[in-house]
Amino acid sequence: MSDKSVRPSWDEYFMGITKLVSKRSTCIKRQVGAIVVKDHRILTSGYNGAPKGIKHCEDRGCLRKEMQVPSGQRHELCRGLHAEQNAIIQAAWHGVKIEGSTMYCTYQPCVICVKMMINAGIKELVYSGGYPDELAQTMLKESGMKVRMA
């Protein structure tokens, strides 16, 4: 018998990193992380929080909580960007092509993020937690993107 530990699968490895990325989140309600991977290499990462130069929700307070907006509704009523949006924006900012890549997320993306992922050419989504957005699920199916929970 060997003392060598069991090597994690690629999904375990990347999801573990995605969960670590989520710890940078400045959202009061839910910490979310996302990474974009291609050929077993991390291209970009993102977590949810306010745009550059804007007060973080952990400092200012949560607009959605103040307005009692239910989870999965009225995405525009939030000071922050979603983790998936930030990962895609980072790719654009740094000139990194993400077409044909896989996105790992700590939660199923909302419909806004799904639309961005489709147009960015992301071919696969791997997520670990659910999110109450039926339209996002419908659009993922219709797009033909490969989707699985890990």
Side-chain angles (χ1 to χ4, degrees):
M1 186 183 307
S2 171
D3 288 338
K4 189 176 178 180
S5 63
V6 177
R7 190 172 184 201
S9 69
W10 285 113
D11 280 350
E12 291 167 336
Y13 174 73
F14 290 127
M15 194 54 72
I17 293 169
T18 304
K19 289 176 182 176
L20 182 61
V21 168
S22 76
K23 294 187 182 302
R24 291 282 306 153
S25 169
T26 59
C27 179
I28 295 168
K29 293 179 82 175
R30 183 187 307 237
Q31 292 187 312
V32 181
I35 64 171
V36 178
V37 174
K38 190 170 185 179
D39 299 326
H40 297 127
R41 301 290 180 257
I42 298 170
L43 302 178
T44 64
S45 66
Y47 51 86
N48 56 330
K52 287 191 259 184
I54 304 296
K55 281 188 179 181
H56 295 292
C57 299
E58 63 186 11
D59 299 325
R60 185 240 171 251
C62 178
L63 180 63
R64 292 177 61 80
K65 197 171 186 178
E66 291 167 16
M67 299 176 75
Q68 299 179 351
V69 178
S71 183
Q73 297 178 20
R74 304 292 313 268
H75 300 290
E76 76 279 7
L77 296 176
C78 180
R79 296 172 53 79
L81 290 152
H82 290 187
E84 303 89 340
Q85 294 167 345
N86 274 325
I88 292 168
I89 290 166
Q90 284 300 308
W93 181 265
H94 294 288
V96 176
K97 184 177 178 179
I98 59 175
E99 182 180 13
S101 64
T102 298
M103 183 175 281
Y104 285 82
C105 303
T106 53
Y107 292 94
Q108 177 207 299
C110 74
V111 69
I112 295 168
C113 292
V114 165
K115 291 186 281 188
M116 290 177 68
M117 292 167 61
I118 292 166
N119 276 2
I122 293 170
K123 69 173 174 107
E124 183 175 15
L125 166 65
V126 182
Y127 66 94
S128 59
Y131 187 73
D133 194 328
E134 291 181 30
L135 182 55
Q137 293 173 0
T138 301
M139 292 187 83
L140 283 166
K141 287 178 189 165
E142 189 176 338
S143 75
M145 187 182 301
K146 184 177 177 184
V147 178
R148 56 198 169 82
M149 283 188 80

